[in-house]
Amino acid sequence: GTSVTQVTATDADDPSYGNSARLLYSLIQGQPYFSVEPKTGVIRMAAQMDRETKDQYLVIIQAKDMVGQPGAFSATATVTINLSDVNDNPPKFQQRLYYMSVSEEAPVGTTIGKVFAEDSDIGDNAAMEYFIEADSSDAFYIITNNETQEGIILLKKRVDYESKRRYSIRVTAVNRYIDGRFLKEGPFEDTTIIKINVEDADEPPVFTSENYVMEIFEGAVSGALVGVVTARDPDDDESPVRYCIVHSMHLKRLFSINEHNGAIITTEPLDREIASWHNLTVTATETRNPEKISEANVYVQVLDVNDNAPEFPKNYETFVCENAVSGQQIQSISAVDQDDSAEGHRFYFSLAQEDANSSHFTVKDNQDNTAGIFTGKSGFRREEQFFFYLPILIQDNGTPPLTSTNTLTVTVCDCDTEVNTFYCRYGAFMYSLGLSTEALVAVLACILIFLVFLLAIVTIRQQQKKKPPFPEKMEEFRENIVSYDDEGGGEEDTEAFDISALRTRTVMRPHKPWKKTASEIQSLYRQSLQVGPDSAIFRQFISEKLEEANTDPSVPPYDSLQTYAFEGTGSLAGSLSSLGSNASDMDQSYDYLADWGPHFKQLAGMYCSHRTVGD
């Protein structure tokens, strides 16, 4: 009876006229799971369905007008109904018993095997969680792969074939999301048994402890025993094991080990104040199989021995005014000790015996690991003594107690009651140098004069480098620079060249034979020797060459310089050009060379003689 959906049909007839538009719905396909209300078209469930059996149904609904009477028209529609999933199926293991195995050499975290519980539901309704119920050894754990919904069994701790060879665990699969409406159908979980066999392997030696802590007093003689490490072969107790210390190349080797019994000894005395702990790595190797190696950590603590006397924690700067009164405290001191003390440090202060009878200063122990330095008299004179050196004895409470002598330097300052630290340090510095104030001022003045002189030299050199090498010529060049701002006519300037040469491709220059052209040039040239630039022959020659340049398609369409072989009328010798030498098959006459003068006498002799021989 659950409503699934509603279908609606429309009829174009007039609903107010008879039964033409009165519709009646009926189910053609979809029984026995669905039904339809005849008047409303509401589709309802008619029977229970199982998505795991069939998840989609095609329901065909028919609508008839005239209330389904004979002669009525009808139409059909198909409704696709998909069943959504609910968690109504519990998980089921494929097997009731699983067998797996793991090597005793397997490290922690090794995957041993997988199990899978099937669930007919889909999506979140098939999500699983796996648990291990019974595992007294606590050697394994299981996780869930959220993508495949598999249970992955992992090794939680190392197993030993010699100790236990077989494990049995119980694994339960539970649905992650449970629908309370279906709990009455039973628990949504399933259980299986997993038996795990441990495989034997050749194992490395095993130490009795992974970490050893040993103690030794500082200052122990070389070769003193620190402790013993022990390892055995788990496969064979009688198999010998060899021990070794892994030394760092950058650290000093302070320990050695007996490779047979694992005894660790010192190679030299240890000092706790340098290092109170030493970390060693010891290896054990099977003698029969050197590839089987195991390691253990050894921590050596160096115990304290009272071998360091107390001392000042810093260098004290102590000052006293010349006008100081007796009993005035000028310094408070303390002490430090590098040794440890189980009961806490206790220090005792006093003046050394050789200075105890001095009346200049006294030491008062405050009984709290500090002491005060007091003046023993009134008035001090720098001219008599600038520094006082007080030997202070400091004793600790160790066993045996140690005492040290520390020197406290007291500087006398030129002051009344309050000490000017800077002035006192300056005076002490000058006193140590043996210089007076006037001498120091003179030295500083000399240094200042030298620096000023050096700065002047550097400034002059820099100015010389910046000065140009030829200032007069640079000024002359600058005066002769002339600027022009003339611009061309651009694309509208058509007078610079014949634009028609760019607009036609039919203008072709008739080519003349080379011999004919050469003869014409030679003839025009000969004639130009006797004419001036205003001659008609000259103008004719220029016009012909200009026409050739204008009609030549290979010449660029811009102004160009044309050079021709006219020398003018000033040369008596004429031209030496041989442009027309091959224009005639007849021999040329070189008799005119004799008229060129004495400079061409030898050339005239060569050609004239050749001509004579030829004749």
Side-chain angles (χ1 to χ4, degrees):
T2 301
S3 175
V4 178
T5 186
Q6 183 179 14
V7 295
T8 303
T10 59
D11 195 322
D13 294 327
D14 187 358
S16 62
Y17 179 75
N19 296 327
S20 298
R22 295 182 61 186
L23 304 180
L24 186 67
Y25 299 95
S26 61
L27 190 65
I28 303 299
Q29 177 181 316
Q31 299 89 349
Y33 301 105
F34 300 96
S35 62
V36 61
E37 293 183 356
K39 295 181 179 181
T40 62
V42 175
I43 302 175
R44 297 183 180 276
M45 287 181 56
Q48 291 294 331
M49 291 169 288
D50 187 7
R51 189 205 62 81
E52 288 73 31
T53 303
K54 187 177 181 179
D55 60 352
Q56 189 180 80
Y57 294 86
L58 298 179
V59 178
I60 300 176
I61 305 297
Q62 184 184 60
K64 283 186 177 183
D65 58 8
M66 297 183 66
V67 200
Q69 296 178 2
F73 292 103
S74 65
T76 60
T78 302
V79 181
T80 302
I81 300 176
N82 295 311
L83 294 186
S84 59
D85 185 50
V86 294
N87 191 7
D88 57 347
N89 292 279
K92 294 291 182 183
F93 279 105
Q94 297 175 339
Q95 301 175 220
R96 288 301 172 187
L97 183 62
Y98 289 86
Y99 291 96
M100 300 178 184
S101 61
V102 60
S103 173
E104 62 177 343
E105 287 185 319
V108 173
T110 299
T111 299
I112 300 174
K114 300 178 182 180
V115 295
F116 179 67
E118 293 182 344
D119 193 325
S120 301
D121 298 320
I122 58 174
D124 291 342
N125 294 325
M128 299 286 180
E129 289 287 354
Y130 294 90
F131 303 96
I132 294 179
E133 290 187 354
D135 181 17
S136 58
S137 64
D138 198 26
F140 310 95
Y141 68 100
I142 190 170
I143 61 175
T144 303
N145 187 328
N146 294 325
E147 294 182 359
T148 62
Q149 299 303 322
E150 293 178 314
I152 304 174
I153 301 173
L154 304 173
L155 188 62
K156 189 175 182 179
K157 67 179 183 180
R158 296 288 296 269
V159 293
D160 185 15
Y161 175 82
E162 288 72 25
S163 301
K164 189 174 183 179
R165 303 184 180 184
R166 183 175 291 107
Y167 295 85
S168 179
I169 60 177
R170 183 186 299 273
V171 175
T172 300
V174 181
N175 275 138
R176 188 175 300 171
Y177 307 103
I178 299 177
D179 192 338
R181 297 174 298 174
F182 304 99
L183 285 176
K184 61 183 180 179
E185 299 182 6
F188 283 79
E189 62 181 39
D190 195 19
T191 304
T192 188
I193 302 298
I194 302 177
K195 294 188 177 296
I196 302 175
N197 294 323
V198 180
E199 297 177 349
D200 189 19
D202 187 6
E203 300 175 87
V206 177
F207 283 94
T208 56
S209 175
E210 294 183 359
N211 300 291
Y212 293 86
V213 178
M214 302 178 181
E215 297 177 347
I216 186 173
F217 282 99
E218 64 174 331
V221 296
S222 177
L225 178 64
V226 180
V228 179
V229 296
T230 305
R232 65 177 185 85
D233 187 351
D235 300 316
D236 184 4
D237 292 338
E238 302 298 328
S239 177
V241 175
R242 186 173 67 253
Y243 300 93
C244 180
I245 294 179
V246 180
H247 292 284
S248 174
M249 297 178 61
H250 306 286
L251 297 179
K252 191 175 182 181
R253 299 185 178 184
L254 302 176
F255 303 91
S256 65
I257 190 171
N258 188 309
E259 65 175 11
H260 301 294
N261 58 19
I264 300 175
I265 60 175
T266 60
T267 58
E268 60 181 66
L270 305 178
D271 188 354
R272 191 204 64 84
E273 286 69 39
I274 297 177
S276 59
W277 284 90
H278 296 273
N279 302 331
L280 309 178
T281 300
V282 178
T283 62
T285 307
E286 286 187 14
T287 305
R288 300 174 183 176
N289 187 2
E291 295 182 356
K292 299 299 179 180
I293 303 175
S294 59
E295 295 182 352
N297 298 317
V298 179
Y299 304 100
V300 180
Q301 182 181 14
V302 182
L303 302 179
D304 186 42
V305 174
N306 192 24
D307 56 349
N308 290 276
E311 58 187 1
F312 282 154
K314 62 179 181 179
N315 292 325
Y316 290 102
E317 289 184 327
T318 306
F319 305 98
V320 62
C321 291
E322 287 184 314
N323 297 332
V325 297
S326 178
Q328 179 180 343
Q329 182 174 349
I330 60 174
Q331 184 68 59
S332 178
I333 59 176
S334 61
V336 293
D337 193 337
Q338 296 182 9
D339 295 322
D340 282 337
S341 176
E343 301 176 357
H345 288 294
R346 179 69 178 89
F347 302 117
Y348 305 95
F349 301 88
S350 62
L351 275 175
Q353 186 65 33
E354 62 270 16
D355 205 67
N357 299 325
S358 174
S359 60
H360 296 94
F361 302 96
T362 60
V363 176
K364 180 181 178 182
D365 195 332
N366 298 326
Q367 304 298 319
D368 59 354
N369 293 338
T370 64
I373 308 299
F374 296 84
T375 57
K377 68 172 188 175
S378 298
F380 295 86
R381 293 181 57 83
R382 300 174 63 192
E383 293 78 4
E384 296 179 358
Q385 189 170 355
F386 203 95
F387 297 107
F388 289 91
Y389 302 98
L390 304 182
I392 308 296
L393 295 181
I394 307 176
Q395 179 179 323
D396 61 15
N397 61 337
T399 304
L402 296 180
T403 303
S404 67
T405 301
N406 299 263
T407 301
L408 181 68
T409 302
V410 181
T411 305
V412 180
C413 296
D414 184 11
C415 56
D416 293 333
T417 56
E418 295 184 359
V419 177
N420 188 325
T421 305
F422 174 78
Y423 182 76
C424 288
R425 289 175 180 172
Y426 167 74
F429 175 74
M430 296 298 299
Y431 181 82
S432 62
L433 293 179
L435 296 176
S436 63
T437 303
E438 293 79 5
L440 181 61
V441 171
V443 172
L444 294 178
C446 293
I447 295 175
L448 181 61
I449 294 173
F450 175 76
L451 292 177
V452 172
F453 179 73
L454 183 62
L455 181 60
I457 294 176
V458 173
T459 304
I460 293 174
R461 288 187 176 181
Q462 290 181 350
Q463 292 179 353
Q464 290 178 351
K465 290 182 179 179
K466 294 180 180 179
K467 187 176 182 181
F470 305 104
E472 299 82 2
K473 293 186 178 180
M474 292 297 293
E475 186 66 25
E476 180 179 351
F477 295 157
R478 190 178 300 108
E479 292 178 355
N480 294 333
I481 296 176
V482 181
S483 301
Y484 296 94
D485 297 330
D486 296 339
E487 297 183 358
E491 297 179 354
E492 298 179 358
D493 187 1
T494 58
E495 298 178 359
F497 54 88
D498 188 5
I499 196 65
S500 62
L502 298 176
R503 298 177 178 176
T504 177
R505 300 182 180 178
T506 59
V507 179
M508 297 297 293
R509 182 181 64 174
H511 294 279
K512 299 179 181 180
W514 167 250
K515 291 184 178 182
K516 183 177 180 180
T517 305
S519 300
E520 292 179 358
I521 296 174
Q522 182 70 13
S523 175
L524 292 173
Y525 169 70
R526 295 296 183 183
Q527 297 177 14
S528 68
L529 296 178
Q530 288 80 27
V531 298
D534 295 333
S535 173
I537 299 175
F538 186 89
R539 291 194 296 270
Q540 180 183 356
F541 177 80
I542 294 299
S543 299
E544 290 180 0
K545 297 305 176 184
L546 181 59
E547 182 66 21
E548 289 183 7
N550 288 335
T551 58
D552 190 353
S554 63
V555 176
Y558 48 75
D559 295 345
S560 62
L561 175 64
Q562 304 291 336
T563 304
Y564 306 104
F566 283 97
E567 298 180 359
T569 60
S571 176
L572 298 176
S575 175
L576 295 177
S577 175
S578 59
L579 293 175
S581 61
N582 60 345
S584 175
D585 296 336
M586 307 227 9
D587 293 335
Q588 298 184 19
S589 175
Y590 298 95
D591 295 338
Y592 61 88
L593 295 177
D595 300 332
W596 284 12
H599 294 289
F600 299 94
K601 183 178 180 180
Q602 184 176 359
L603 181 63
M606 294 174 57
Y607 277 86
C608 290
S609 61
H610 176 72
R611 177 66 177 173
T612 304
V613 173
D615 292 340

